Each structure stands twice: as structure tokens, then as C-alpha cells.
Amino acid sequence: MRHLPKHRFDPAKAHKLLDPRWRLIDNPLELVRTMGIEEGMRVVDLGCGPGFFTRALLEAVGSTGRVAAVELQDQVLEIFRDQIGNRPNLEIHQTDILATGLGMGQWDVAFVAFTLHEVDVKAALEEANRIIGEGGRLMVLEWGDHAVCPQRDDGQTVGPPADHRLLDAVLAGYLSEAGFITESTGQNWGGCQYWVRAVRGMKSGRLG
Ligand SMILES: C[S@@+](CC[C@H](N)C(=O)[O-])C[C@H]1O[C@@H](n2cnc3c(N)ncnc32)[C@H](O)[C@@H]1O
């Protein structure tokens, strides 16, 4: 089954992405560690937004690691810079996650949180594949089943509309086509959000 992206995140809502309660994610640091981020890793945060996960990634990789934050929209990056500031082991790239311009195979992890559903998934996975080295990891966080997500005070269901979501079964097809092998998975709120960690396998003729 194919996924058709329906929208790009509205930058006017970027501040909300920094609120753990609004995100339903109390402890992003614990979450990225559970997903497998370790000290010393070189991680690309694809579609970093205002930096909710970038901050956690920087803490998890420590001073011996490195983080590249990739984001397209000006307004979002402005908030990112305000929030995160300059760090010796952080680089910021205002570019498209489908063609980052980052060097091939120089990163241990491509981390994509709540962004893959906004883009051409196949093209994004190809770019992730290119930038992580052999044995590199892809870590994806996404919205799961709309029906199990809680409602906000205004009665709106948390997360994007059902038909905007990239469900785990659909992502699994793209991962296997792109040569990724799933290593572990997890979920929050009974499947309202899910994550996948996959390792880059060898795929004939595609990897440099
Ligand atoms: C829903 S937000 C998630 C942000 C962040 N990962 C988080 O979880 O807090 C999606 C972000 O991806 C960015 N984005 C969408 N398409 C993009 C693209 N093709 N290249 C770079 N950034 C993109 C949007 O501007 C937005 O900031």
C-alpha cells in the first residue's frame, strides 16, 4: 500500500511542538535512549522542527557525539535557533530531507520524528539510506491508529487526521523495499504513536 503525503506542518503551530503535554511525550530523552541512541553517536534529525527531539538527541549522544538538524521552513528554524542555540557538536542545515546534501555514509543514525508522513516516503528512505553508513540505523517515530488516540480538551483527536497518517504496516512495506531490516519497535498510548528502529541492510546496486 502506498502513502500519499497530504500536508506540510503549519509553522504557526511550531511552539506547540515544544510542549511535552501537547506531544503526549513526557520524557523525550528516555524515549530516544529506548530507541537506541547512545553516547558518541552521529545522528541526523530529519525534519527537526523547533528542536523537541534535537535537544534530547544532543543530550543522549553527549559531547563525543554529533547531531545534524535538518529543516526546511524559516519560521520553524527561527524557533529552533532560539531554543537550542549554538552547540559545538550541532550543525543546522536548512534543506530538504529528500536531498540533504549531507555526505554519504557519514552518520550512524537517521532519526525522523513525526515527519515521514509529510513527505514522499520512498525518496526519504533512499536519502536516509545514503547518509548512514553500513550498519547505520534508521529511527522513525510516527502517528498510529487515529481511533486509539486520546482527545484534547477541545474534543479534537490528538495528531493529524486519519488519512494523513503513515501507519506502521504501510511503513513496514517501504522499509523492506528500501533494504531496511526492523530491529525493534515500540508504542505509546496503545498505538496512537509508534516507533521503529531498523538497520541498513545491503540492497543490490543501491548502496555506495
Ligand atoms: C510535525 S513536525 C515534527 C518536528 C520534529 N521532528 C518533532 O517531532 O518535534 C514536521 C517538521 O518537518 C518539516 N518538514 C516537512 N517536510 C520537510 C522536508 N521535505 N524537508 C525538511 N523538513 C521538512 C516541517 O517543516 C516540520 O518542522
Side-chain angles (χ1 to χ4, degrees):
M1 203 175 149
R2 311 315 290 173
H3 172 76
L4 285 178
K6 307 235 172 21
H7 76 297
R8 176 169 294 156
F9 181 74
D10 173 3
K13 294 185 181 156
H15 274 109
K16 292 188 174 179
L17 289 180
L18 294 166
D19 176 357
R21 208 168 144 253
W22 198 78
R23 304 296 306 256
L24 304 182
I25 298 169
D26 294 338
N27 193 334
L29 177 59
E30 190 179 289
L31 177 55
V32 302
R33 285 186 170 142
T34 303
M35 290 171 74
I37 300 291
E38 293 171 7
E39 208 156 317
M41 281 180 163
R42 299 162 304 168
V43 181
V44 184
D45 186 1
L46 293 164
C48 63
F52 182 77
F53 285 105
T54 320
R55 184 187 295 284
L57 293 170
L58 282 162
E59 196 167 339
V61 302
S63 57
T64 57
R66 187 151 194 85
V67 174
V70 176
E71 170 62 50
L72 206 50
Q73 303 200 76
D74 292 329
Q75 265 176 278
V76 178
L77 272 174
E78 217 171 281
I79 302 171
F80 179 98
R81 289 198 168 90
D82 246 31
Q83 290 293 319
I84 309 291
N86 286 326
R87 312 275 186 105
N89 58 345
L90 170 68
E91 42 191 273
I92 304 169
H93 299 267
Q94 182 164 17
T95 182
D96 195 321
I97 68 168
L98 306 185
T100 60
L102 294 173
M104 186 162 83
Q106 289 174 10
W107 299 87
D108 301 311
V109 179
F111 182 93
V112 205
F114 301 101
T115 298
L116 215 43
H117 69 275
E118 295 185 16
V119 301
D120 177 334
V121 178
K122 182 169 183 279
L125 295 187
E126 277 173 9
E127 179 62 355
N129 219 333
R130 192 188 67 75
I131 61 181
I132 54 177
E134 205 177 318
R137 261 65 183 188
L138 171 74
M139 299 184 189
V140 178
L141 268 156
E142 267 302 335
W143 292 103
D145 185 0
H146 186 267
V148 303
C149 287
Q151 292 196 339
R152 299 195 189 280
D153 295 344
D154 61 5
Q156 295 263 36
T157 302
V158 168
D163 65 335
H164 288 206
R165 296 181 183 219
L166 169 64
L167 297 182
D168 52 354
V170 177
L171 175 61
Y174 281 102
L175 290 176
S176 114
E177 264 178 43
F180 284 101
I181 300 156
T182 297
E183 291 181 310
S184 55
T185 61
Q187 61 179 40
N188 275 339
W189 295 86
C192 171
Q193 299 172 336
Y194 69 90
W195 61 263
V196 176
R197 184 180 77 215
V199 62
R200 193 186 91 158
M202 295 302 287
K203 192 165 182 258
S204 53
R206 297 289 285 280
L207 304 175

